[in-house]
Amino acid sequence: MHPPRIAFVIFDGFQSLDLAGPHEVFRRAGGYDCTVVAPVPGPVRAESGLPVHAGHGVATLPPTGIDTLVVTGGAGVYTARHDPRLTGWITAAARGARRVVSVCSGAFLLAEAGLLDGRRVTSHWARVERLAREYPAVTVQPDPIFVRDGHFWSSAGVTAGMDLALALVEEDQGQQVALEVARHLVLFLRRPGNQSQFSVGLWSMQPSSDPIRQAVAAIHADPGARHNIADLAARAGLSSRHLQRRFTAELGIPPAAYVERVRVEAAQGALENGGDPLDAIARRYGFGTAETLRRSFQRCLGVTPSDYRDRFRSTLGEHR
């Protein structure tokens, strides 16, 4: 039997890591035939200027016999999606593929081909608003690292394509193989798809006034301290009601929710880099109890603290 074929679609201006990351995961796992296809065969220039050789063009590679179709993203996607040769080949390949995958803004190519109508997808956080606006028949989910809807899979940007590829390897060959690939590539153990792609720097706006900057600085300086509305208002020199209103207007999120997200990110670091009990981490970062910590993780990240630690704990200690 022939190994399942993974066909990677690239184009001028594609994001090189959208190809190289997943390609490396599949090749490291073994048991796959990895093929790169472009509008025409030969050198293709990535968005960064890196030249990549496409072994096949859409006119010479039959769209049949493909197990997993992986469509990369990148700034060039906005031009590539208007190439009828490319979208036609993608449509034909998707018709017979067991799985259809977009990485980052590769979702624009699938959407242009009409393949995502009525489906749930994600993309890079900077592209999701445009994707939703230009393809209203697609249900765009901006937060997850990757999304599965039937045999269609989509991922957020760049390195999230590796998380998705690890999930596909796990589906095909089991968890142990996926974990070995992650270890070899010096990755954190696979992140679950519903893990948020946003960190504090991305999920909130920046404060625009000194009083709110002071409140935000106090939260980050000591996430585990008391940060109720009255405390934050006192630091900002505002009334509680005024603080609530201005904080939400400037950062796009209420103070209590902001405090929770900062505490969750602080706890994430503790889970990744240490072995402290959950109760101790919960007390240190202002959650009080392990149960409150668990509820916050589920609400913000869609995963329990224990599962997060299992997937993300640093392996540095194993090699000392």
Side-chain angles (χ1 to χ4, degrees):
M1 293 181 62
H2 296 292
R5 169 168 281 182
I6 313 291
F8 293 90
V9 176
I10 64 173
F11 43 84
D12 283 333
F14 77 100
Q15 164 59 252
S16 56
L17 281 176
D18 289 1
L19 167 67
H23 189 283
E24 192 66 27
V25 170
F26 286 118
R27 292 291 293 179
R28 178 57 51 184
Y32 298 103
D33 172 20
C34 293
T35 299
V36 179
V37 59
V40 295
V44 180
R45 188 168 294 277
E47 182 179 348
S48 65
L50 179 73
V52 174
H53 181 81
H56 300 275
V58 296
T60 58
L61 181 68
T64 56
I66 294 173
D67 177 83
T68 302
L69 177 67
V70 181
V71 181
T72 64
V77 75
Y78 302 117
T79 299
R81 61 177 168 165
H82 298 304
D83 182 345
R85 300 169 302 165
L86 183 59
T87 56
W89 187 90
I90 288 172
T91 300
R95 192 175 299 124
R98 179 169 67 96
R99 294 181 299 215
V100 180
V101 175
S102 66
V103 181
C104 191
S105 53
F108 282 83
L109 270 168
L110 296 183
E112 184 68 26
L115 296 169
L116 299 181
D117 289 359
R119 295 192 179 276
R120 295 176 295 106
V121 302
T122 193
S123 185
H124 189 284
W125 63 268
R127 309 284 174 87
V128 288
E129 185 175 322
R130 181 172 180 175
L131 181 64
R133 183 176 64 252
E134 296 187 2
Y135 300 99
V138 179
T139 301
V140 179
Q141 298 184 313
D143 198 47
I145 287 176
F146 62 83
V147 170
R148 179 181 187 178
D149 188 335
H151 69 288
F152 284 81
W153 299 66
S154 57
S155 82
V158 199
T159 58
M162 301 181 76
D163 293 292
L164 189 152
L166 284 167
L168 299 181
V169 167
E170 182 174 334
E171 181 181 62
D172 293 343
Q173 302 188 40
Q175 183 184 50
Q176 190 57 41
V177 173
L179 295 183
E180 288 300 323
V181 171
R183 291 190 183 101
H184 184 87
L185 296 178
V186 200
L187 298 170
F188 285 124
L189 302 188
R190 181 176 65 81
R191 294 181 286 181
N194 57 358
Q195 172 77 34
S196 173
Q197 61 175 292
F198 300 108
S199 66
V200 168
L202 301 178
W203 55 252
S204 73
M205 299 181 288
Q206 295 300 308
S208 57
S209 68
D210 286 339
I212 304 305
R213 289 192 192 99
Q214 292 173 15
V216 167
I219 295 167
H220 285 277
D222 187 0
R226 264 191 13 165
H227 295 304
N228 58 36
I229 292 295
D231 293 322
L232 293 175
R235 292 188 184 98
L238 303 172
S239 69
S240 295
R241 180 175 296 182
H242 196 188
L243 180 281
Q244 177 85 18
R245 184 171 63 252
R246 286 185 58 175
F247 194 106
T248 304
E250 292 186 25
L251 279 82
I253 183 173
Y258 189 94
V259 170
E260 181 182 44
R261 291 296 293 263
V262 172
R263 286 174 172 170
V264 165
E265 291 203 348
Q268 285 176 263
L271 291 167
E272 292 165 11
N273 299 305
D276 291 345
L278 295 185
D279 282 333
I281 293 173
R283 290 192 299 270
R284 184 185 313 151
Y285 295 113
F287 296 99
T289 67
E291 176 58 23
T292 303
L293 173 67
R294 186 192 66 79
R295 289 199 299 267
S296 289
F297 262 62
Q298 287 283 18
R299 181 163 46 249
C300 295
L301 305 177
V303 65
T304 67
S306 296
D307 285 344
Y308 184 91
R309 169 174 271 165
D310 289 343
R311 287 185 169 98
F312 280 84
R313 177 182 286 175
S314 170
T315 58
L316 286 173
E318 300 174 8
H319 302 286
R320 286 175 178 163

